[in-house]
């Protein structure tokens, strides 16, 4: 859907804790894609996000989209309070030139936005962020200050939930149904996953970082995200050595940053597999990584908003942990659930891959289960690529990105219109009272 070009384009301000160049944060990738898609649909879009270093500029353009960094990023509870105050001050001074403010989470940023909106009267939309244990309603229980976000969030004009789980949690927190708008993550398609595309992507990546140099036939397993102690990358790292013992030419790309980066690197070096792994840090654009790899590893609930859809868009074969959140993300509407390639069943004596599916599922987060699943997929890589193409076709058909963006535009248009009517009614009532007195 495109905005009416004859009318003044709606002016939308996006607010998020992470934006470019934080590609290792899934929220940053999601917000960046949302900003670009809304901009391409005809809205005037600007972004507000914090500075993570004093040397970072306060203003720049990201793909023709103005980005503002008025406040330093929070690094403690004390600096969080300062960050919220600075953000609220900037919003009070600048949000009046916009029709609506959209926040990518229901955390501290939402408090600053609601505070500013109460003075300026601007429309506000919040997005329920995160998944599983990291979802916003679960985070609200972590502290007294976090719980204050619940009452504040109920003052928004609308709240976007991305799936049924989030919607149920919001209703359980006392949010009215009419405040919630369900907009699921959408899927798109990039270049076909064919050999010449993969080879070209590998050449480009090798020119950027020599650790990513591979031969055209070298199998590559890609895992992206935050390097945390109990995260997907650490889980995969524990399975690397036996996999390489069977396939010496196998390569693993761990893309991202995080607090566990150095300890994970030391562990892999101690395992004697340093030359089989690459840890190139964060990438602003991960499309070449997706095109160059042979397998995408999804080991937890992180990455469901951006990284996993990007793997689907590249028709990249996927090995994924079987959780309700991941399965819901990768199951097209109306698709039967019984076609599961439960590779972990090989642990109990049955052959992996007897059933076929578009995803290789892990029913247990163990090193043995990962080894069985990856070996099975790599043994059947041509079929896995065909399955990945089918998964992309199904998801693009059932949950296209264009439909998600259309839903956002419809929501923004409706909320702005309703807010305008409400302001006009308040002004008229005020004038009537003054006239009567």
């Amino acid at each position: 859907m495109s905005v009416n070009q004859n009318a003044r384009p709606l002016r939308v301000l996006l607010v998020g804790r992470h934006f470019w160049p934080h590609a290792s944060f899934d929220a940053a990738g999601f917000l960046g894609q949302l900003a670009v898609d809304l901009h391409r649909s005809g809205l005037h879009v600007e972004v507000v996000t914090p500075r993570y270093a004093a040397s970072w500029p306060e203003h720049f353009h990201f793909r023709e989209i103005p980005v503002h960094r008025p406040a330093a990023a929070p690094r403690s509870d004390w600096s969080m309070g300062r960050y919220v105050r600075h953000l609220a001050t900037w919003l009070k001074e600048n949000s009046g030139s916009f029709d609506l403010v959209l926040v990518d989470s229901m955390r501290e940023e939402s408090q600053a936005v609601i505070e500013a909106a109460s003075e300026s009267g601007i429309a506000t939309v919040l997005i329920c962020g995160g998944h599983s244990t990291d979802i916003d309603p679960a985070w609200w229980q972590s502290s007294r200050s976090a719980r204050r976000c619940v009452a504040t969030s109920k003052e928004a004009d609308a709240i976007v939930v991305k799936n049924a789980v989030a919607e149920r949690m919001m209703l359980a927190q006392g949010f009215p149904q009419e405040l919630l708008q369900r907009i699921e993550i959408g899927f798109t398609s990039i270049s076909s996953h064919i050999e010449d595309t993969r080879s070209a992507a590998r050449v480009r990546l090798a020119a950027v970082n020599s650790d990513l140099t591979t031969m055209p036939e070298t199998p590559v397993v890609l895992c992206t995200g935050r390097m945390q102690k109990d995260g997907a990358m650490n889980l995969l790292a524990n399975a690397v050595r036996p996999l390489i013992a069977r396939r010496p030419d196998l390569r693993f790309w761990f893309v991202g940053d995080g607090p566990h980066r150095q300890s994970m690197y030391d562990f892999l070096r101690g395992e004697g597999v340093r030359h089989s792994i690459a840890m190139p840090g964060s990438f602003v654009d991960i499309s070449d990584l997706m095109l160059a790899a042979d397998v995408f590893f999804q080991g937890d609930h992180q990455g469901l908003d951006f990284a996993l859809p990007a793997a689907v868009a590249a028709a990249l074969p996927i090995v994924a942990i079987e959780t309700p959140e991941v399965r819901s993300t990768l199951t097209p509407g109306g698709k039967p659930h019984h076609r599961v390639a439960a590779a972990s069943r090989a642990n109990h004596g049955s052959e992996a891959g007897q059933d076929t599916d578009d995803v290789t599922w892990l029913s247990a987060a163990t090193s043995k289960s990962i080894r069985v699943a990856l070996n099975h997929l790599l043994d059947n890589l041509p079929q896995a690529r065909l399955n990945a193409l089918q998964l992309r076709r199904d998801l693009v058909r059932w949950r296209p990105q264009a439909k998600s963006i259309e839903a956002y535009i419809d929501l923004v248009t409706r909320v702005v219109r309703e807010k305008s009517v409400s302001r006009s009614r308040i002004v008229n009532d005020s004038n009537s009272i003054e006239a009567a007195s």
Side-chain angles (χ1 to χ4, degrees):
M1 172 180 176
S2 297
V3 178
N4 185 355
Q5 300 299 321
N6 295 323
R8 178 184 73 85
L10 290 176
R11 297 176 60 86
V12 178
L13 181 66
L14 304 186
V15 179
R17 184 82 54 89
H18 299 286
F19 193 69
W20 185 94
H22 290 149
S24 60
F25 287 88
D26 201 60
F30 169 78
L31 188 62
Q33 181 171 306
L34 179 62
V36 170
D37 287 343
L38 291 178
H39 171 72
R40 288 174 176 171
S41 297
L43 298 184
H44 175 88
V45 177
E46 298 187 27
V47 178
V48 174
T49 190
R51 296 190 312 277
Y52 282 80
S55 59
W56 287 20
E58 292 191 18
H59 305 281
F60 72 101
H61 281 74
F62 172 76
R63 298 181 183 177
E64 301 180 351
I65 298 171
V67 179
H68 311 276
R69 292 169 170 158
R75 301 185 185 277
S76 65
D77 291 341
W78 177 82
S79 62
M80 176 61 76
R82 182 183 62 181
Y83 163 67
V84 173
R85 289 193 299 273
H86 288 180
L87 177 60
T89 299
W90 188 92
L91 289 168
K92 290 174 184 177
E93 294 174 353
N94 297 276
S95 63
S97 62
F98 295 91
D99 299 300
L100 180 140
V101 180
L102 190 153
V103 191
D104 74 343
S105 72
M106 302 174 69
R107 303 195 178 191
E108 289 89 354
E109 286 80 6
S110 65
Q111 292 181 301
V113 167
I114 296 299
E115 179 185 338
S118 66
E119 294 190 10
S120 64
I122 191 173
T124 57
V125 174
L126 310 180
I127 300 176
C128 181
H131 296 273
S132 187
T133 56
D134 292 331
I135 197 169
D136 287 342
W139 175 81
W140 290 337
Q141 312 308 316
S142 63
S143 67
R144 182 183 301 176
S145 60
R147 284 191 289 273
R148 286 199 292 269
C149 292
V150 182
T152 303
S153 297
K154 290 179 181 178
E155 299 179 27
D157 295 295
I159 294 171
V160 174
V161 291
K162 300 172 185 174
N163 50 52
V165 173
E167 187 170 8
R168 288 194 295 268
M169 294 182 74
M170 297 294 289
L171 292 173
Q173 290 285 343
F175 285 80
Q177 180 70 65
E178 59 270 18
L179 191 62
L180 306 180
Q181 174 72 40
R182 176 95 163 264
I183 304 179
E184 295 185 332
I185 295 297
F187 292 85
T188 186
S189 175
I190 59 177
S191 302
S192 299
H193 200 94
I194 54 178
E195 290 300 328
D196 59 342
T197 302
R198 183 183 300 106
S199 298
R202 290 189 177 190
V203 170
R204 291 191 294 269
L205 291 172
V208 172
N209 189 314
S210 59
D211 284 351
L212 300 176
T213 302
T214 62
M215 298 299 291
E217 66 276 7
T218 299
V220 173
V221 177
L222 172 65
C223 185
T224 68
R226 295 284 291 162
M227 296 180 178
Q228 303 176 89
K229 184 175 181 180
D230 299 320
M233 290 198 187
N234 194 52
L235 180 65
L236 180 60
N238 290 320
V240 167
R241 184 177 55 81
L243 283 164
I244 291 175
R246 179 178 174 183
R247 301 172 185 274
D249 194 37
L250 184 60
R251 297 291 184 269
F252 291 85
W253 292 351
F254 296 93
V255 177
D257 292 288
H260 198 54
R261 177 187 175 86
Q262 187 60 47
S263 57
M264 195 173 86
Y265 176 81
D266 292 340
F267 169 77
L268 291 167
R269 186 176 58 179
E271 291 279 275
V273 296
R274 170 64 187 90
H275 296 293
S276 298
I277 63 104
M279 298 173 64
S282 295
F283 275 63
V284 174
D285 186 346
I286 63 173
S287 57
D288 270 353
L289 291 165
M290 295 295 179
L291 289 172
D294 294 285
V295 181
F296 183 79
F297 180 78
Q298 177 70 36
D300 56 21
H301 60 271
Q302 297 186 40
L304 302 187
D305 292 340
F306 179 70
L308 187 58
V312 172
L316 187 56
I318 295 169
V319 172
I321 186 73
E322 189 171 7
T323 67
E325 293 86 0
V326 178
R327 178 166 278 284
S328 174
T329 301
L330 291 177
T331 302
K335 189 96 169 176
H337 284 243
H338 67 274
R339 296 175 58 240
V340 179
S344 59
R345 284 182 295 178
N347 300 342
H348 302 91
S350 62
E351 292 186 25
Q354 285 294 317
D355 297 333
T356 60
D357 195 9
D358 302 331
V359 178
T360 300
W361 294 103
L362 300 169
S363 62
T366 64
S367 295
K368 185 176 182 180
S369 180
I370 293 171
R371 293 198 306 270
V372 171
L374 284 173
N375 279 325
H376 168 71
L377 190 151
L378 292 169
D379 286 340
N380 300 275
L381 194 52
Q383 181 60 49
R385 287 172 176 159
L386 292 176
N387 293 342
L389 286 168
Q390 183 60 50
L391 177 67
R392 182 173 68 180
R393 282 193 290 266
D394 289 342
L395 288 171
V396 169
R397 175 187 175 191
W398 287 101
R399 297 209 302 273
Q401 175 72 357
K403 184 176 180 180
S404 295
I405 296 303
E406 181 179 346
Y408 272 104
I409 293 176
D410 288 344
L411 175 63
V412 167
T413 303
R414 174 176 63 81
V415 169
V416 169
R417 182 175 62 249
E418 291 175 353
K419 195 73 173 182
S420 177
V421 171
S422 176
R423 285 198 299 264
S424 298
R425 186 180 296 116
I426 292 173
V427 170
N428 292 335
D429 290 345
S430 177
N431 293 337
S432 298
I433 293 174
E434 291 180 1
S437 62

Short mmCIF file of all heavy atoms in Angstrom, two decimals, residues 106-111 126 139-140 144-154 175:
data_model
loop_
_atom_site.label_atom_id
_atom_site.label_comp_id
_atom_site.label_asym_id
_atom_site.label_seq_id
_atom_site.Cartn_x
_atom_site.Cartn_y
_atom_site.Cartn_z
N MET A 106 8.24 -1.53 24.75
CA MET A 106 7.41 -0.94 25.79
C MET A 106 8.23 -0.85 27.07
O MET A 106 7.80 -1.29 28.14
CB MET A 106 6.14 -1.77 25.97
CG MET A 106 5.32 -1.89 24.70
SD MET A 106 3.91 -2.99 24.82
CE MET A 106 2.86 -2.08 25.94
N ARG A 107 9.41 -0.27 26.93
CA ARG A 107 10.33 -0.14 28.06
C ARG A 107 10.55 1.34 28.36
O ARG A 107 9.62 2.14 28.26
CB ARG A 107 11.62 -0.89 27.77
CG ARG A 107 11.34 -2.36 27.47
CD ARG A 107 12.56 -3.26 27.53
NE ARG A 107 12.18 -4.64 27.27
CZ ARG A 107 12.99 -5.68 27.46
NH1 ARG A 107 14.23 -5.50 27.89
NH2 ARG A 107 12.56 -6.91 27.21
N GLU A 108 11.75 1.73 28.76
CA GLU A 108 11.96 3.10 29.22
C GLU A 108 11.65 4.15 28.16
O GLU A 108 11.16 5.24 28.48
CB GLU A 108 13.40 3.27 29.71
CG GLU A 108 13.71 2.57 31.02
CD GLU A 108 14.18 1.15 30.85
OE1 GLU A 108 14.15 0.66 29.69
OE2 GLU A 108 14.56 0.52 31.85
N GLU A 109 11.95 3.85 26.89
CA GLU A 109 11.66 4.82 25.83
C GLU A 109 10.17 5.16 25.76
O GLU A 109 9.80 6.30 25.46
CB GLU A 109 12.11 4.27 24.47
CG GLU A 109 13.61 4.28 24.26
CD GLU A 109 14.32 3.12 24.92
OE1 GLU A 109 13.62 2.23 25.47
OE2 GLU A 109 15.56 3.08 24.91
N SER A 110 9.32 4.18 26.06
CA SER A 110 7.88 4.44 26.01
C SER A 110 7.48 5.46 27.07
O SER A 110 6.55 6.26 26.86
CB SER A 110 7.10 3.14 26.19
OG SER A 110 7.30 2.59 27.49
N GLN A 111 8.17 5.47 28.23
CA GLN A 111 7.87 6.45 29.26
C GLN A 111 8.17 7.86 28.77
O GLN A 111 7.38 8.79 28.98
CB GLN A 111 8.67 6.15 30.52
CG GLN A 111 8.26 4.87 31.23
CD GLN A 111 9.06 4.63 32.49
OE1 GLN A 111 10.29 4.53 32.46
NE2 GLN A 111 8.37 4.56 33.61
N LEU A 126 2.99 1.96 20.42
CA LEU A 126 4.07 1.16 20.99
C LEU A 126 4.04 -0.24 20.39
O LEU A 126 2.98 -0.75 20.05
CB LEU A 126 3.93 1.06 22.51
CG LEU A 126 3.72 2.37 23.28
CD1 LEU A 126 3.61 2.07 24.78
CD2 LEU A 126 4.83 3.36 23.01
N TRP A 139 9.74 -8.77 31.05
CA TRP A 139 10.71 -7.81 31.57
C TRP A 139 10.07 -6.91 32.62
O TRP A 139 10.74 -6.49 33.57
CB TRP A 139 11.28 -6.99 30.42
CG TRP A 139 12.19 -5.89 30.86
CD1 TRP A 139 13.51 -5.99 31.20
CD2 TRP A 139 11.84 -4.50 31.02
NE1 TRP A 139 14.01 -4.75 31.55
CE2 TRP A 139 13.01 -3.83 31.46
CE3 TRP A 139 10.66 -3.78 30.85
CZ2 TRP A 139 13.01 -2.46 31.71
CZ3 TRP A 139 10.67 -2.42 31.09
CH2 TRP A 139 11.84 -1.78 31.52
N TRP A 140 8.78 -6.61 32.47
CA TRP A 140 8.11 -5.74 33.45
C TRP A 140 8.20 -6.28 34.88
O TRP A 140 8.13 -5.53 35.84
CB TRP A 140 6.63 -5.58 33.07
CG TRP A 140 6.42 -4.77 31.84
CD1 TRP A 140 7.26 -3.84 31.29
CD2 TRP A 140 5.28 -4.82 30.98
NE1 TRP A 140 6.72 -3.32 30.15
CE2 TRP A 140 5.51 -3.89 29.92
CE3 TRP A 140 4.10 -5.54 30.99
CZ2 TRP A 140 4.58 -3.68 28.91
CZ3 TRP A 140 3.17 -5.34 29.97
CH2 TRP A 140 3.42 -4.41 28.94
N ARG A 144 10.97 -2.70 40.05
CA ARG A 144 9.88 -1.74 40.31
C ARG A 144 9.81 -0.71 39.18
O ARG A 144 8.72 -0.34 38.73
CB ARG A 144 10.12 -1.03 41.64
CG ARG A 144 9.01 -0.04 42.01
CD ARG A 144 9.34 0.68 43.31
NE ARG A 144 9.50 -0.27 44.40
CZ ARG A 144 9.85 0.09 45.64
NH1 ARG A 144 10.12 1.36 45.90
NH2 ARG A 144 9.97 -0.83 46.58
N SER A 145 10.97 -0.23 38.73
CA SER A 145 10.97 0.76 37.65
C SER A 145 10.42 0.16 36.36
O SER A 145 9.74 0.85 35.59
CB SER A 145 12.38 1.29 37.42
OG SER A 145 13.27 0.24 37.06
N ALA A 146 10.71 -1.13 36.12
CA ALA A 146 10.16 -1.78 34.93
C ALA A 146 8.65 -1.90 35.01
O ALA A 146 7.94 -1.74 34.01
CB ALA A 146 10.80 -3.16 34.76
N ARG A 147 8.13 -2.16 36.21
CA ARG A 147 6.68 -2.30 36.36
C ARG A 147 5.94 -0.99 36.10
O ARG A 147 4.76 -1.00 35.73
CB ARG A 147 6.34 -2.83 37.76
CG ARG A 147 6.62 -4.32 37.94
CD ARG A 147 6.04 -4.86 39.23
NE ARG A 147 6.78 -4.37 40.40
CZ ARG A 147 7.86 -4.97 40.90
NH1 ARG A 147 8.33 -6.06 40.32
NH2 ARG A 147 8.47 -4.49 41.96
N ARG A 148 6.64 0.13 36.28
CA ARG A 148 6.00 1.41 35.99
C ARG A 148 5.66 1.57 34.51
O ARG A 148 4.79 2.36 34.14
CB ARG A 148 6.90 2.57 36.44
CG ARG A 148 6.96 2.76 37.94
CD ARG A 148 7.46 4.15 38.30
NE ARG A 148 8.87 4.33 37.94
CZ ARG A 148 9.89 4.09 38.75
NH1 ARG A 148 9.66 3.64 39.99
NH2 ARG A 148 11.13 4.28 38.37
N CYS A 149 6.36 0.81 33.66
CA CYS A 149 6.09 0.90 32.22
C CYS A 149 4.72 0.34 31.86
O CYS A 149 4.18 0.68 30.80
CB CYS A 149 7.18 0.16 31.44
SG CYS A 149 8.81 0.92 31.53
N VAL A 150 4.16 -0.51 32.72
CA VAL A 150 2.86 -1.11 32.41
C VAL A 150 1.79 -0.02 32.37
O VAL A 150 1.06 0.12 31.38
CB VAL A 150 2.49 -2.19 33.45
CG1 VAL A 150 1.15 -2.82 33.09
CG2 VAL A 150 3.57 -3.26 33.52
N ALA A 151 1.70 0.75 33.46
CA ALA A 151 0.67 1.79 33.52
C ALA A 151 0.91 2.85 32.45
O ALA A 151 -0.04 3.33 31.81
CB ALA A 151 0.67 2.42 34.91
N THR A 152 2.18 3.20 32.23
CA THR A 152 2.49 4.20 31.22
C THR A 152 2.07 3.74 29.83
O THR A 152 1.49 4.51 29.04
CB THR A 152 3.99 4.51 31.22
OG1 THR A 152 4.39 4.95 32.52
CG2 THR A 152 4.34 5.58 30.19
N SER A 153 2.34 2.48 29.52
CA SER A 153 2.04 1.96 28.19
C SER A 153 0.55 1.96 27.88
O SER A 153 0.15 2.05 26.71
CB SER A 153 2.61 0.55 28.05
OG SER A 153 4.01 0.55 28.17
N LYS A 154 -0.28 1.85 28.91
CA LYS A 154 -1.73 1.83 28.69
C LYS A 154 -2.25 3.18 28.22
O LYS A 154 -3.40 3.29 27.78
CB LYS A 154 -2.44 1.40 29.96
CG LYS A 154 -2.22 -0.07 30.31
CD LYS A 154 -2.91 -0.48 31.60
CE LYS A 154 -2.64 -1.96 31.90
NZ LYS A 154 -3.26 -2.38 33.18
N PHE A 175 -4.45 -5.05 29.60
CA PHE A 175 -4.59 -4.15 28.45
C PHE A 175 -5.89 -4.46 27.72
O PHE A 175 -6.19 -5.63 27.44
CB PHE A 175 -3.42 -4.31 27.49
CG PHE A 175 -2.14 -3.70 27.98
CD1 PHE A 175 -1.35 -4.35 28.91
CD2 PHE A 175 -1.73 -2.45 27.52
CE1 PHE A 175 -0.17 -3.79 29.37
CE2 PHE A 175 -0.56 -1.87 27.98
CZ PHE A 175 0.23 -2.54 28.91
#
